[in-house]
Amino acid sequence: FLGYSPKSKQLFFSANISAPINTGIYSVPLAGGKQKALSPEIGSARAAFSKTFDYFILYHNTANKPVEVSLRNSDGKVLRTLEENVELNQKLESLSLPQVEFFDFTTSEEVNLNGWMIKPKNFDSKKKYPVLMFVYGGPGSQTVTNAFSGNYWWHQLLAQKGYIIVSVDNRGTGARGKA
């Protein structure tokens, strides 16, 4: 829960509605009604609202794209782009780094788990590669998010050295419900 606007009678919140790997910013009328997405559905969003909830600063990124920052009104309309990270995005494009790929699978206990993988640049499915399994299985933790991670550069370096890097969230991770 991010807050309430008495003026518009709207509740503002963040949630993993589109998928457990994505975090979006939403509003919903206090009297009930349909929720409205105020941020892109894909990726990771964080918001800092003004005291009146008329405006907010949105920080949005994906696993393969660094943060972009924008000023928005309470309906989610972009009023001004504050940071696009143009230089960093150009640098990333020039490096032709492998993309983070998301996947999911069902265990033998019928539990669906999410994961991501980074393969070496010139991946050959007929070749064997060493695999680094990146996991943190603590309660409420989540490593499989569509967010530009602090470990991004380390994982990219390992991929350049010929490793496949994989992360899988276990049953107890966040954004998946009580079960």
Side-chain angles (χ1 to χ4, degrees):
F1 179 70
L2 300 172
Y4 169 68
S5 168
K7 183 171 123 187
S8 68
K9 297 190 180 351
Q10 295 281 318
L11 299 167
F12 297 92
F13 63 98
S14 65
N16 307 86
I17 292 175
S18 66
I21 65 172
N22 298 311
T23 304
I25 307 300
Y26 301 88
S27 67
V28 66
L30 181 63
K34 188 172 180 172
Q35 68 203 18
K36 179 179 180 181
L38 304 178
S39 66
E41 292 281 329
I42 303 301
S44 179
R46 182 173 57 85
F49 281 86
S50 65
K51 287 183 181 183
T52 61
F53 287 89
D54 291 328
Y55 304 98
F56 67 98
I57 295 180
L58 180 72
Y59 302 86
H60 179 263
N61 64 88
T62 69
N64 294 303
K65 190 164 178 151
V67 70
E68 292 182 351
V69 184
S70 58
L71 173 64
R72 296 176 180 233
N73 67 16
S74 61
D75 287 329
K77 179 182 176 194
V78 177
L79 302 176
R80 175 175 284 162
T81 299
L82 303 174
E83 178 61 64
E84 291 182 273
N85 269 316
V86 173
E87 288 179 40
L88 180 54
N89 282 312
Q90 288 172 344
K91 184 68 172 172
L92 288 171
E93 283 181 35
S94 73
L95 294 173
S96 299
L97 298 170
Q99 298 286 293
V100 175
E101 301 172 19
F102 292 96
F103 63 90
D104 65 341
F105 65 95
T106 303
T107 69
S108 59
E109 297 169 333
E110 300 299 317
V111 176
N112 187 266
L113 299 178
N114 297 313
W116 60 252
M117 179 183 323
I118 301 174
K119 298 174 187 168
K121 179 128 171 117
N122 297 316
F123 178 76
D124 179 354
S125 62
K126 295 178 178 123
K127 186 178 170 187
K128 288 188 177 187
Y129 294 88
V131 174
L132 171 68
M133 189 74 177
F134 176 72
V135 175
Y136 175 71
S141 63
Q142 189 177 12
T143 62
V144 181
T145 59
N146 193 357
F148 202 77
S149 162
N151 294 312
Y152 179 83
W153 297 109
W154 172 243
H155 294 151
Q156 287 293 344
L157 174 69
L158 291 172
Q160 287 180 6
K161 300 290 184 185
Y163 288 83
I164 296 174
I165 298 83
V166 179
S167 184
V168 175
D169 278 343
N170 62 17
R171 297 171 59 126
T173 52
R176 298 177 45 85
K178 186 177 178 182

